[in-house]
Amino acid sequence: MKRRNILGYAATGVATAALAACSPQNTGPAVQSDSLPRVRWKMATSWPTSLDTLYGAAELIAELVSKLTDGRFTIQTFAAGEIVPGLQVLDAIQQGTVECGHTASYYYIGKNPALTFGTCVPFGLNTQQQMAWLYHGGGIEAMNKLYADFNTIAFPAGNSGAQMGGWFKREVNNIADLNGLKMRIPGLGGEVLSRLGVNVQVLPGGEIFLALERGAIDAAEFVGPYDDEKLGLNNAARLYYYPGWWEPGSSFDLQINLTAWNRLPTEYQEILKTAASAANIQTLAKYDVQNPQALKRLIDGGTQLKAFSPEILQASLAATTDLLEDMAIRNSSFRDIYEPWKQFRDSIRQWHAVGEFAFSNFVSTPILEGL
Amino acid sequence: MKRRNILGYAATGVATAALAACSPQNTGPAVQSDSLPRVRWKMATSWPTSLDTLYGAAELIAELVSKLTDGRFTIQTFAAGEIVPGLQVLDAIQQGTVECGHTASYYYIGKNPALTFGTCVPFGLNTQQQMAWLYHGGGIEAMNKLYADFNTIAFPAGNSGAQMGGWFKREVNNIADLNGLKMRIPGLGGEVLSRLGVNVQVLPGGEIFLALERGAIDAAEFVGPYDDEKLGLNNAARLYYYPGWWEPGSSFDLQINLTAWNRLPTEYQEILKTAASAANIQTLAKYDVQNPQALKRLIDGGTQLKAFSPEILQASLAATTDLLEDMAIRNSSFRDIYEPWKQFRDSIRQWHAVGEFAFSNFVSTPILEGL
């Protein structure tokens, strides 16, 4: 046991030169720490194990919690469908079937449309802005007011970065091209495109490839190069559009049954929260390292990148604004988040235009023009 | 004691409906955890306490470590100058005067120029890219090979986001305007501008205002709106340039004496690392929430935003490339990091041009054009 060795050193007064300079009380004798409960939890997730990015975030949280408690608090992770279907994680948490889950808040907008803010909003915050809103802009608190209705508390625990606009079997250059297009796209992005004439389909990830390959649908979006490649979508369509304006920086959640949360020692609560923060940043980093390599493989394999036209972007932005304003009128909990969120979005965009965008504009414009 | 109450509930069989659904072994009886040492550390920092962003990151790490160990592992933070001067934190760690510190690796490029990669590189990685490089691109490992020469190990523990180009008393429109300009700018950015004729000055943060106000220098860069406002730089110069191409996403480090690190129980090591990850993302979020508000106050107070001209940006980029290539020739440990770093930079820029930039180009260009 490494720990005993360390204590042994301290007890026998073997101190290194570096530590000899410290005052003696800095590393005191070992003390019997308070007794802490052994806790074993189950975590349902919305992901197949093959998505090592998102399922990997769940595993990382479990690994960190175990390491940080020396194995006293362990969490067993389950793939989508093992305990409950992937889109019923929040239900399982609310019912106490599992103590926690790793999922996306926007899967549950049928229960409350305001839950979309926890993941992303079309033409909304990008990744860095979403994190700022969640951690220091009142986002976590706003989301947990909503989650309380489901006896749940949640913390950000992973981000995909900006997503792609998806795979298309034929070009879409203008609004007329969208009319009747059969496209797999869930969430608010689907509602916006539906207003522009798209025949919106909602399919689980595992069914996208066959539908696209056989022509049951004309287009499909999923995540980005690394995850999309795993589904083989590049083998079903050749045109790969950007940007994925409906998901400019999607955040994923560690959701926890509130009763189970309240029974945890404060120390374990803080460990869970901190592990979620670490998983948040490290999952984004993993996406940002895997996506460039996957994008290169896709292009080498014949995938053709296409930018959405200004006409389609402008029409989509207008339809998005209409949709969000309509939802704010219809739903008070949506409105309560939307109004301050809009102010936050406009304010941080002003700063980022100067601080972040002016730099990336200089280094990225030549790359984009060279595509 | 909250914990005892929880255990009491478990022992007397009081279980909520939510938890009743869990299998009985999920929350077992309390066990006496292994004894863990009480550890008290000192953390020197490079920051005055008035910089609540950066000094706040150090405090957050200390707070998290204490919470995650229920007070068994505590770290006392010290402002710059309290134990050692702000730019000698690494020396104090190497000598064992303190067990750890919060500082920036690029303050120590005099010891090894490759240490700049841990913080930022002119025209290098932006914030999100720097995090990707550190966590999943081999960055932490590469930096810790360098830090081992100083008996130190370090983890990313805060990021400022993209910084500003600084405060100027007169316009700089072309390269000729840079000639003889007396500017406070440390690090590699200063070396680049020196090659373009700037008379580079290095002053501690606390001396910038007076030097600029009295005309001893013509220009000065520090961080960004929130930190710069605290120094009152807006009262000494009116023109505020962007982008700060020499610091497109500066990362700060938790540095730890390697001997002290090796004496920690594995559990405490993991807690320190995880707390640093949480401080990393949450410090960036704090900057991203405070900077927009400060920028608005500055503009309302008469500050005038100015973009560096394409001529200055292009010349600075060319001088930066020359400098980095020269350093790679002269210094093998710089070269060992630089070569794979360049590949990483080019690869992630390709992906971000499509995934991140195409979106921010659409939403940010109108803002930048409206300034």
Side-chain angles (χ1 to χ4, degrees):
Chain A
M1 288 271 298
K2 190 175 180 195
R3 183 181 304 142
R4 297 237 164 77
N5 284 342
I6 287 161
L7 299 179
Y9 279 129
T12 56
V14 176
T16 66
L19 283 166
C22 303
S23 59
Q25 72 270 26
N26 277 359
T27 45
V31 294
Q32 206 67 16
S33 67
D34 289 343
S35 58
L36 283 166
R38 284 207 185 277
V39 175
R40 292 172 60 189
W41 275 14
K42 289 190 172 80
M43 183 192 290
T45 75
S46 299
W47 328 116
T49 55
S50 58
L51 286 185
D52 63 322
T53 41
L54 293 173
Y55 193 75
E59 289 181 313
L60 177 58
I61 293 167
E63 181 192 328
L64 285 174
V65 166
S66 176
K67 279 185 178 172
L68 269 54
T69 61
D70 201 20
R72 293 186 295 273
F73 183 6
T74 58
I75 300 173
Q76 191 180 359
T77 57
F78 293 89
E82 281 196 278
I83 294 182
V84 286
L87 304 187
Q88 293 173 27
V89 170
L90 178 57
D91 307 81
I93 292 166
Q94 182 177 8
Q95 291 153 21
T97 312
V98 293
E99 293 85 0
C100 65
H102 194 270
T103 181
S105 64
Y106 75 167
Y107 290 147
Y108 311 98
I109 55 173
K111 300 176 191 292
N112 185 336
L115 284 166
T116 197
F117 289 98
T119 311
C120 64
V121 176
F123 290 104
L125 305 174
N126 72 11
T127 304
Q128 194 175 323
Q129 294 163 355
Q130 175 74 359
M131 290 192 178
W133 180 70
L134 287 166
Y135 286 114
H136 276 277
I140 290 176
E141 296 78 6
M143 295 313 296
N144 279 330
K145 272 193 197 167
L146 305 179
Y147 274 128
D149 290 342
F150 309 97
N151 195 41
T152 292
I153 186 170
F155 302 100
N159 196 300
S160 65
Q163 300 197 2
M164 286 292 283
W167 301 86
F168 289 68
K169 292 176 90 90
R170 56 178 169 84
E171 287 194 17
V172 288
N173 297 310
N174 48 47
I175 295 302
D177 291 339
L178 296 180
N179 198 35
L181 183 89
K182 282 177 286 180
M183 179 171 181
R184 185 268 180 189
I185 173 170
L188 291 192
E191 293 195 35
V192 171
L193 284 177
S194 173
R195 288 180 173 215
L196 295 174
V198 169
N199 181 344
V200 169
Q201 313 280 319
V202 179
L203 299 172
E207 295 178 23
I208 301 175
F209 171 77
L210 269 187
L212 189 61
E213 202 258 346
R214 291 179 181 176
I217 55 177
D218 309 306
E221 70 86 50
F222 185 51
V223 181
Y226 184 65
D227 291 341
D228 290 5
E229 185 188 38
K230 288 194 187 234
L231 295 193
L233 301 185
N234 52 310
N235 297 318
R238 195 172 54 86
L239 305 176
Y240 200 19
Y241 273 78
Y242 66 89
W245 49 262
W246 48 88
E247 302 211 27
S250 293
S251 185
F252 303 93
D253 276 350
L254 170 66
Q255 296 177 342
I256 305 160
N257 176 285
L258 203 49
T259 313
W261 172 257
N262 287 332
R263 286 169 52 106
L264 285 180
T266 308
E267 191 174 333
Y268 286 3
Q269 290 180 342
E270 294 294 332
I271 281 172
L272 257 185
K273 278 169 66 171
T274 310
S277 284
N280 198 10
I281 195 170
Q282 288 171 33
T283 301
L284 173 64
K286 185 170 180 176
Y287 266 114
D288 273 331
V289 168
Q290 295 297 340
N291 273 329
Q293 299 170 25
L295 183 65
K296 187 174 184 311
R297 285 192 299 271
L298 292 171
I299 292 172
D300 289 349
T303 290
Q304 194 182 334
L305 290 175
K306 297 283 287 180
F308 283 124
S309 66
E311 176 182 331
I312 286 180
L313 287 177
Q314 290 294 354
S316 302
L317 173 59
T320 296
T321 305
D322 286 349
L323 175 68
L324 298 179
E325 297 289 336
D326 286 353
M327 290 171 78
I329 289 167
R330 289 201 309 267
N331 183 292
S332 67
S333 66
F334 189 95
R335 184 170 59 246
D336 289 346
I337 298 182
Y338 180 58
E339 294 299 335
W341 177 91
K342 264 198 298 188
Q343 287 186 359
F344 182 92
R345 177 196 66 189
D346 294 346
S347 167
I348 198 167
R349 273 190 186 166
Q350 178 90 4
W351 158 238
H352 275 186
V354 173
E356 302 283 342
F357 176 72
F359 179 76
S360 45
N361 190 34
F362 179 74
V363 299
S364 301
T365 299
I367 298 171
L368 215 51
E369 286 172 355
L371 285 178
Chain B
M1 288 270 301
K2 189 174 182 196
R3 183 181 304 142
R4 297 236 164 77
N5 284 342
I6 288 161
L7 299 178
Y9 278 130
T12 56
V14 175
T16 66
L19 284 165
C22 303
S23 60
Q25 72 270 27
N26 278 0
T27 45
V31 293
Q32 205 67 15
S33 68
D34 289 342
S35 56
L36 281 167
R38 285 208 185 277
V39 175
R40 293 172 60 188
W41 276 14
K42 290 190 172 78
M43 183 192 290
T45 75
S46 298
W47 329 117
T49 55
S50 58
L51 287 185
D52 63 323
T53 41
L54 293 173
Y55 193 75
E59 289 182 313
L60 177 58
I61 292 167
E63 180 192 328
L64 286 173
V65 166
S66 177
K67 279 184 179 171
L68 270 55
T69 62
D70 201 19
R72 292 187 296 273
F73 182 5
T74 58
I75 301 174
Q76 191 180 0
T77 57
F78 293 90
E82 281 197 278
I83 294 181
V84 286
L87 304 187
Q88 293 172 28
V89 170
L90 178 57
D91 307 81
I93 292 165
Q94 183 177 6
Q95 290 153 20
T97 312
V98 293
E99 292 86 0
C100 65
H102 194 270
T103 182
S105 65
Y106 74 167
Y107 290 149
Y108 311 99
I109 55 173
K111 302 176 191 292
N112 186 337
L115 283 166
T116 198
F117 289 99
T119 310
C120 64
V121 175
F123 290 104
L125 305 174
N126 71 11
T127 304
Q128 194 174 326
Q129 294 164 354
Q130 175 74 358
M131 290 192 177
W133 181 70
L134 287 166
Y135 287 113
H136 276 276
I140 290 176
E141 296 78 7
M143 296 312 297
N144 279 330
K145 272 193 197 169
L146 305 179
Y147 274 128
D149 290 343
F150 309 97
N151 195 40
T152 293
I153 186 170
F155 302 100
N159 196 302
S160 65
Q163 300 198 2
M164 286 292 283
W167 301 86
F168 289 68
K169 292 177 89 90
R170 56 180 170 82
E171 287 194 16
V172 288
N173 296 311
N174 48 47
I175 296 302
D177 292 338
L178 296 180
N179 198 34
L181 183 89
K182 282 177 286 179
M183 179 171 181
R184 184 270 181 188
I185 173 170
L188 291 191
E191 293 196 35
V192 172
L193 284 178
S194 173
R195 288 179 173 216
L196 295 175
V198 170
N199 182 345
V200 169
Q201 312 280 319
V202 179
L203 298 173
E207 296 178 21
I208 301 174
F209 171 77
L210 268 187
L212 189 61
E213 202 259 345
R214 292 181 180 174
I217 54 176
D218 308 306
E221 71 85 50
F222 185 50
V223 181
Y226 184 67
D227 291 341
D228 291 5
E229 186 188 38
K230 289 196 185 233
L231 295 192
L233 301 185
N234 52 310
N235 297 318
R238 193 172 54 88
L239 305 177
Y240 200 18
Y241 274 79
Y242 66 88
W245 48 263
W246 47 88
E247 302 211 27
S250 293
S251 184
F252 303 93
D253 276 350
L254 169 66
Q255 296 177 343
I256 304 160
N257 176 285
L258 203 48
T259 313
W261 171 258
N262 287 332
R263 287 169 54 104
L264 286 179
T266 309
E267 190 174 333
Y268 286 4
Q269 290 181 342
E270 295 294 333
I271 281 172
L272 258 184
K273 279 169 67 173
T274 310
S277 285
N280 199 12
I281 194 170
Q282 288 171 32
T283 301
L284 173 64
K286 185 169 179 177
Y287 266 113
D288 274 332
V289 168
Q290 294 297 338
N291 273 330
Q293 300 169 26
L295 183 65
K296 188 172 183 312
R297 285 192 300 270
L298 292 172
I299 292 171
D300 290 348
T303 290
Q304 194 182 333
L305 291 175
K306 296 284 286 181
F308 283 124
S309 66
E311 177 183 331
I312 286 179
L313 287 177
Q314 290 294 353
S316 302
L317 173 58
T320 296
T321 305
D322 286 349
L323 175 68
L324 298 178
E325 297 290 336
D326 286 353
M327 291 171 78
I329 290 168
R330 289 199 309 267
N331 184 293
S332 67
S333 67
F334 189 95
R335 183 171 60 246
D336 288 348
I337 298 183
Y338 181 57
E339 294 300 332
W341 177 92
K342 263 198 299 189
Q343 288 185 0
F344 182 92
R345 178 197 64 189
D346 294 346
S347 168
I348 197 168
R349 273 191 187 165
Q350 178 91 6
W351 158 237
H352 275 187
V354 173
E356 302 283 343
F357 176 72
F359 178 76
S360 46
N361 190 34
F362 179 74
V363 299
S364 301
T365 298
I367 298 171
L368 215 51
E369 286 172 354
L371 286 179

